[in-house]
């Protein structure tokens, strides 16, 4: 039986990168981890309507670069960049740094239907608005597959439709190879806070396989060498056949 592990954690260093990048000693490490958690929590609360997928934090010396991946960059930036300046000042205050040392970058998500976190948040919002959970699931699966995904899986857990006993329902289309390291699996977790309890939403989206460039180059070189060898052998065979059929002078 395959064990259920986080699709990002199992691929760290293979096809996935860390969301926080910095170095720290034993004393500073837990403090910085907690600070990163608080910063992400603060930004996601402030930008609840901006469809924020992921927040990347990069610390270099005494400067901090924060990249916000969002489907609605206009809401984050605000009119003439006023909102982002306020956000930067408040974030710098949390990090105990001058605002000049904190940089907020906005990265736009072109296809929100292919982002697992945004799909999970969308399903959770629909359930909070009392949309039937099966309809919300199927609609999300169809729109994701239509956008070019090779596979998608959606799983809901909790008191679905307000039932007394909590249960799990899921929908899947295409293939989602969770054990394949080179598979580009996007994973998102959302929560629908309803009057009868919290419903968890998990989404897995398979976008294809990621190959190492060096490995691809080696494969191409091997194929070219094989084709060249086959061509040389065919030419040699043709020349031998031609000399065999030519009459002696």
């Amino acid at each position: 039986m395959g064990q259920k592990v986080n699709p990002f954690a199992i691929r760290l260093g293979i096809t996935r990168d860390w969301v926080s990048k910095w170095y720290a000693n034993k004393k500073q490490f837990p403090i910085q981890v907690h600070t990163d958690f608080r910063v992400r929590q603060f930004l996601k609360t402030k930008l609840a309507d901006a469809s924020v997928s992921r927040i990347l934090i990069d610390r270099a010396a005494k400067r901090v670069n924060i990249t916000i991946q969002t489907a609605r960059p206009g809401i984050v930036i605000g009119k003439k960049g006023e909102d982002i300046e306020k956000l930067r000042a408040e974030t710098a205050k949390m990090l105990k740094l001058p605002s000049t040392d904190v940089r907020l970058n906005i990265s736009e998500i072109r296809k929100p239907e292919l982002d697992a976190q945004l799909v999970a948040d969308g399903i959770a919002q629909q359930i909070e608005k009392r949309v039937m959970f099966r309809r919300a699931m199927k609609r999300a699966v169809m729109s994701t597959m239509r956008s070019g995904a090779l596979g998608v899986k959606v799983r809901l857990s909790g008191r679905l439709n307000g039932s007394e006993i909590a249960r799990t329902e899921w929908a899947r289309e295409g293939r989602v190879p969770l054990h394949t390291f080179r598979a580009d699996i996007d994973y998102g977790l959302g929560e629908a806070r309803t009057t009868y309890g919290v419903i968890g939403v998990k989404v897995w989206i398979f976008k294809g396989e990621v190959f190492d460039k060096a490995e691809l180059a080696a494969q191409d070189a091997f194929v070219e060498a094989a084709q060249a060898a086959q061509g040389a052998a065919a030419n040699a065979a043709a020349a031998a056949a031609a000399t065999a059929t030519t009459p002696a002078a």
Side-chain angles (χ1 to χ4, degrees), residues 12-13 33 35 51-52 63 99 114 116 118 146 182 195 200 204 211 214 224 240 242:
L12 277 177
V33 168
T35 307
S51 299
V52 174
R63 293 191 175 186
S99 57
L114 289 177
L118 297 184
R146 209 180 296 124
R182 67 170 177 249
T195 53
W204 294 262
F211 292 94
E224 286 177 6

Side-chain angles (χ1 to χ4, degrees), residues 20 43 52 60 69 87 107 133 168 175 238:
S20 290
L43 289 174
V52 174
Q69 296 181 354
L87 267 180
S107 176
F133 71 91
T168 299
R175 54 187 283 261

Side-chain angles (χ1 to χ4, degrees), residues 68-141:
I68 301 171
Q69 296 181 354
T70 173
R72 299 177 182 173
I75 296 176
V76 180
I77 296 167
K79 191 176 180 182
K80 295 182 181 178
E82 292 176 359
D83 293 350
I84 198 166
E85 286 300 322
K86 288 179 184 176
L87 267 180
R88 189 170 75 156
E90 291 175 5
T91 308
K93 192 176 179 182
M94 288 183 69
L95 293 166
K96 296 177 181 178
L97 290 170
S99 57
T100 52
D101 291 342
V102 177
R103 187 175 177 183
L104 290 183
N105 304 315
I106 309 300
S107 176
E108 185 182 0
I109 297 170
R110 300 287 181 183
K111 290 186 177 180
E113 296 86 7
L114 289 177
D115 192 287
Q117 186 60 50
L118 297 184
V119 173
D121 290 341
I123 295 171
Q125 287 171 10
Q126 289 181 58
I127 292 171
E128 286 175 354
K129 293 175 183 174
R130 299 180 181 271
V131 175
M132 294 293 289
F133 71 91
R134 281 196 186 90
R135 186 183 299 170
M137 266 199 308
K138 288 179 181 177
R139 193 183 297 165
V141 167

